Amino acid sequence: MADKILITGASGAMGRLLIKHFLGREPVIGLDRRPFMGRPMELEFHQVDLRKKKAENLFRRESIKAVYHLQIDHNLHGKETEHHQRNVRGTMKLLEYCERYKVPKLIFLSSCNVYGPNPMNPNFLSEDAPLGGAAGNPAMQSQIEAEMYVMTHLWKQPEMEVVILRPVHIVGPTVHNPVVRYLRMGRVPTLMGFDPMLQLIHEDDVVHALALAARPGIRGIYNVVGPGQVPLSVILKELGAGHIPIPHPIAMSLTRRLWEMGAFPFNAPELNFLRFVCNIDGARAARDLGFAPRYSLPETIRSIRGLRAA
Amino acid sequence: MGKPITSFISRSVQRRLDPEALKRLKNIRHNFNEYGYDPWGMHPDYLLRFALAIKPLYDKYFRVETYGLKNLPEGRVLLIANHSGQVPIDGVMIALALLFEADPPRFARAMVEYFAWQLPFVSTAFARLGQVIGTPENCRRLLDADETILVFPEGVNGISQPFNKRYQLQKFGTGFMRLALDTKTPIVPVAVIGCEEMVPGIGRLPVPKGLGIPYVPLTPTFPWLGPLGLIPLPAKVRLYFGEPMEFKGEPNDEDVIVERKVKRVRMRLQSMLNDGVKRREHVFW
């Protein structure tokens, strides 16, 4: 039986991209709570909750050489407890399986959001910066908590290679995260007088980094930075999008209101991303993983427009 | 980066620049990206527009004279200057001298208080002008990239000191010395003469703690005349750039050891200030 690669969150945008990368090269098992629409014929896919016995059975049955854990729920709408249960419990269970069935490699896809925007941030955060993302933004709590569990495994399991990747904001024609939704708004609300430097990375570059992380010997936490940073205004200009500057206090209360009504994809604390820097330093990934982005800055920005403009 | 710096400077700005200054600018090493921004958010066009707007003040109002710009060593450098005059004009004047008179031109960067980065427009302007959030990590990173850092080690106590204490250096922090030792950066003391007399301070107004406002000056005209009371008098400004000082040692030594080194910088700067004050014949010309 060949050693397989298991990917959680297979139905999500990053899951699909990663599967596309591996199909035909490596045997892959896809895993997701959600159904996989348009699943490739040759893909072995299981619609299963990580917390369920069925998930553990997979580990028992198969010989797995690497696990990609992409199933962190970033959709912050919905019940907070349920969200927490899925992210934290799901991750804990997965770690348990990996330990029990001696999976040699676990790669966890996190994000730069765990650091959180803050006026006291140095302009380029390194991997050992505090994870302040949940301060003022409780929705980040479960993500950070899940990451903490992965981190403890990183230190206490010498025989398992654990890799945590923290990429900057992922954009591209197929991803559908809040950043992309925000930038695709057409007429984009911004905070008057603030124009922070933002870092973006193309979805294909993230897949590239994920693939590099699988190499034997690689373990630890890596920031993954794309082709650089530009002010928000430059991104909007490159996209040909208009912007509506709103004074910050008004934007805060408006956003809170709209969020509560469920009419807006962001909550008020996330507005801090439009005020303060939350940029990271990717030197470690460049050195140890040999990672370098393949898409230039203009290409990365333009990819936000989606497939039609490609 | 491939593109020359001039491709990020608009025609109108290029026309207004002194041809010599433009030629010097063309030769500098830079790391602006495809859109003309450096990693910290600085943009040369924005910076030069601002500098050109201030230049009449520099040339005509304060009639800045510089001495010893040739002393600046190549590559990374920490400029240690006296802070004075209630409003931070000293920093702006040093920055303009480095931009228009130094060869090669340098972008002076200062570490700006957290407070300023929470203000709309101000935070954006600071970033475009190449100023950075005041954290030791930022400073170290800039020095590793061979940038020019301007530090006022007296901090708020220097700028807000009263008129009767003019040209007497306040206590220096040790942070800059530890960074210099760690990054092997030469220190150039910069004596600023003239800024003390622009806005003579009497004291500080009490401000409630917790607002993040570092200080509010009290002068013969402020706050009585409102913001107009802070308009600086046209004192003539002289900038003396001293010879580079190099230090060796452990950046993590105890305060006592580092303070000894700091004291040498402070004494050098104090004697430069004394000389500068002695040498000038009049405050206003």
Side-chain angles (χ1 to χ4, degrees), chain A residues 119-124 192-195 197 229-231 233-234 238 275-277 281 296-298 301-302, chain B residues 33-35 37-42 114 117-124 127-128 132-133 135 137-138 141:
Chain A
M120 287 158 103
N121 273 349
N123 286 54
F124 299 94
M192 192 182 277
F194 289 100
D195 193 13
M197 297 294 277
Q229 44 282 316
V230 277
S233 60
V234 170
E238 182 72 62
R275 277 213 296 167
F276 307 134
V277 285
D281 174 11
S296 72
L297 197 47
I301 298 172
R302 282 182 217 131
Chain B
N33 64 21
E34 292 93 325
Y35 299 96
Y37 290 88
D38 89 336
W40 306 84
M42 177 169 81
Y114 304 127
W117 299 95
Q118 305 185 35
L119 305 173
F121 303 104
V122 175
S123 59
T124 309
R128 296 294 165 272
V132 301
I133 301 168
T135 78
E137 292 98 320
N138 277 348
R141 188 176 288 273

Side-chain angles (χ1 to χ4, degrees), chain B residues 3-282:
Chain B
K3 281 191 182 176
I5 187 173
T6 39
S7 60
F8 307 121
I9 304 172
S10 59
R11 283 273 164 73
S12 64
V13 169
Q14 290 196 30
R15 263 198 305 272
R16 285 162 62 202
L17 277 170
D18 172 55
E20 282 297 312
L22 185 64
K23 212 161 90 195
R24 286 197 293 266
L25 270 173
K26 272 183 191 158
N27 293 328
I28 59 167
R29 217 170 40 84
H30 70 84
N31 54 349
F32 299 115
N33 64 21
E34 292 93 325
Y35 299 96
Y37 290 88
D38 89 336
W40 306 84
M42 177 169 81
H43 196 287
D45 191 57
Y46 192 104
L47 174 68
L48 286 167
R49 272 171 207 276
F50 176 81
L52 285 169
I54 304 282
K55 198 144 189 296
L57 280 181
Y58 181 91
D59 290 335
K60 306 268 162 57
Y61 193 72
F62 298 123
R63 296 145 292 142
V64 179
E65 272 175 19
T66 59
Y67 303 90
L69 272 170
K70 288 256 176 322
N71 285 333
L72 289 173
E74 238 177 84
R76 66 187 69 173
V77 63
L78 263 170
L79 303 175
I80 302 296
N82 56 310
H83 215 0
S84 55
Q86 315 303 324
V87 274
I89 289 171
D90 39 11
V92 180
M93 293 301 131
I94 294 172
L96 254 62
L98 293 171
L99 189 60
F100 290 130
E101 296 194 33
D103 189 14
R106 285 161 182 270
F107 302 116
R109 297 171 182 276
M111 301 284 129
V112 179
E113 285 251 4
Y114 304 127
F115 172 65
W117 299 95
Q118 305 185 35
L119 305 173
F121 303 104
V122 175
S123 59
T124 309
F126 272 138
R128 296 294 165 272
L129 296 174
Q131 309 309 300
V132 301
I133 301 168
T135 78
E137 292 98 320
N138 277 348
C139 193
R140 184 172 295 118
R141 188 176 288 273
L142 284 164
L143 290 174
D144 282 340
D146 283 340
E147 299 271 0
T148 305
I149 312 285
L150 175 59
V151 180
F152 297 101
E154 298 169 274
V156 167
N157 290 333
I159 191 165
S160 65
Q161 72 185 342
F163 192 65
N164 60 357
K165 295 243 176 79
R166 63 190 181 277
Y167 302 115
Q168 296 169 26
L169 289 172
Q170 301 282 314
K171 193 179 175 336
F172 274 22
T174 56
F176 78 89
M177 183 55 75
R178 292 185 192 280
L179 281 164
L181 292 170
D182 196 18
T183 56
K184 301 192 170 48
T185 304
I187 288 173
V188 170
V190 184
V192 184
I193 309 284
C195 286
E196 294 275 20
E197 288 84 3
M198 287 175 186
V199 183
I202 298 170
R204 291 196 205 178
L205 286 177
V207 260
K209 288 225 159 128
L211 290 182
I213 301 170
Y215 71 99
V216 176
L218 175 68
T219 79
T221 50
F222 186 85
W224 329 117
L225 301 180
L228 294 179
L230 282 179
I231 292 180
L233 301 171
K236 187 173 174 65
V237 173
R238 294 169 175 87
L239 306 175
Y240 295 91
F241 292 83
E243 277 171 26
M245 306 172 76
E246 299 199 26
F247 292 90
K248 287 199 180 71
E250 269 300 307
N252 293 322
D253 267 336
E254 278 179 64
D255 271 349
V256 201
I257 300 170
V258 178
E259 264 161 18
R260 231 173 278 152
K261 297 184 171 100
V262 170
K263 201 173 163 200
R264 276 172 56 200
V265 178
R266 190 168 170 264
M267 304 250 284
R268 172 78 68 87
L269 184 55
Q270 186 65 63
S271 79
M272 284 167 66
L273 285 172
N274 298 346
D275 282 355
V277 172
K278 212 184 294 166
R279 216 178 296 165
R280 76 172 167 182
E281 282 157 11
H282 198 281

Side-chain angles (χ1 to χ4, degrees), chain A:
Chain A
M1 196 163 46
D3 287 347
K4 294 183 179 172
I5 294 174
L6 185 138
I7 300 174
T8 74
S11 315
M14 286 316 298
R16 284 163 190 262
L17 287 166
L18 193 61
I19 285 165
K20 208 166 99 192
H21 170 84
F22 280 127
L23 271 188
R25 293 187 215 187
E26 304 261 7
V28 185
I29 307 174
L31 217 73
D32 206 308
R33 219 169 13 83
R34 304 160 288 185
F36 196 125
M37 304 294 228
R39 169 168 73 92
M41 286 303 288
E42 62 271 42
L43 175 69
E44 179 184 346
F45 175 76
H46 302 273
Q47 187 178 350
V48 54
D49 192 313
L50 278 176
R51 294 165 290 174
K52 296 287 158 60
K53 200 160 178 269
K54 214 176 130 198
E56 184 171 5
N57 284 342
L58 262 175
F59 280 82
R60 193 172 289 145
R61 203 169 61 222
E62 306 280 356
S63 158
I64 291 166
K65 66 170 177 184
V67 170
Y68 278 98
H69 186 31
L70 311 183
Q71 184 149 45
I72 286 295
D73 190 354
H74 302 279
N75 177 16
L76 304 174
H77 267 292
K79 271 211 205 108
E80 221 161 87
T81 47
E82 172 57 19
H83 179 252
H84 179 269
Q85 283 281 329
R86 273 208 299 269
N87 279 347
V88 180
R89 293 271 155 198
T91 301
M92 284 177 80
K93 277 286 176 195
L94 187 68
L95 288 166
E96 214 179 291
Y97 307 149
C98 287
E99 195 180 339
R100 193 171 301 151
Y101 301 100
K102 307 227 174 326
V103 175
K105 186 124 207 165
L106 171 74
I107 297 159
F108 177 73
L109 183 63
S110 170
S111 78
C112 67
N113 295 358
V114 293
Y115 300 114
N118 189 308
M120 287 158 103
N121 273 349
N123 286 54
F124 299 94
L125 296 157
S126 68
E127 285 83 353
D128 38 16
L131 305 186
N137 189 1
M140 277 297 296
Q141 243 155 31
S142 73
Q143 193 184 327
I144 290 175
E145 205 177 317
E147 178 148 352
M148 293 289 200
Y149 283 111
V150 180
M151 278 165 83
T152 50
H153 270 252
L154 170 58
W155 310 126
K156 77 175 191 199
Q157 302 273 341
E159 63 282 357
M160 178 162 65
E161 283 177 1
V162 177
V163 184
I164 298 175
L165 296 186
R166 294 183 185 146
V168 297
H169 304 300
I170 305 173
V171 299
T174 69
V175 285
H176 200 64
N177 56 37
V179 175
V180 171
R181 268 148 81 197
Y182 169 73
L183 292 172
R184 281 189 192 144
M185 279 170 117
R187 281 177 68 81
V188 179
T190 59
L191 298 178
M192 192 182 277
F194 289 100
D195 193 13
M197 297 294 277
L198 297 178
Q199 292 173 314
L200 305 176
I201 189 168
H202 193 282
E203 52 190 32
D204 292 347
D205 279 330
V206 179
V207 172
H208 178 47
L210 284 167
L212 287 173
R215 284 211 320 252
I218 299 289
R219 58 183 299 153
I221 306 172
Y222 294 98
N223 287 339
V224 182
V225 176
Q229 44 282 316
V230 277
L232 173 62
S233 60
V234 170
I235 297 173
L236 297 179
K237 206 165 154 198
E238 182 72 62
L239 290 172
H243 65 113
I244 313 161
I246 302 169
H248 164 247
I250 298 176
M252 280 297 246
S253 66
L254 209 66
T255 308
R256 195 171 298 123
R257 204 73 52 80
L258 286 170
W259 162 263
E260 276 158 14
M261 285 159 55
F264 206 53
F266 324 99
N267 198 353
E270 280 158 78
L271 290 183
N272 280 340
F273 278 105
L274 306 178
R275 277 213 296 167
F276 307 134
V277 285
C278 179
N279 289 347
I280 57 178
D281 174 11
R284 191 188 284 180
R287 190 191 59 210
D288 294 359
L289 302 181
F291 172 78
R294 292 168 175 172
Y295 287 80
S296 72
L297 197 47
E299 283 166 350
T300 303
I301 298 172
R302 282 182 217 131
S303 76
I304 298 166
R305 285 188 204 141
L307 289 170
R308 55 213 142 84

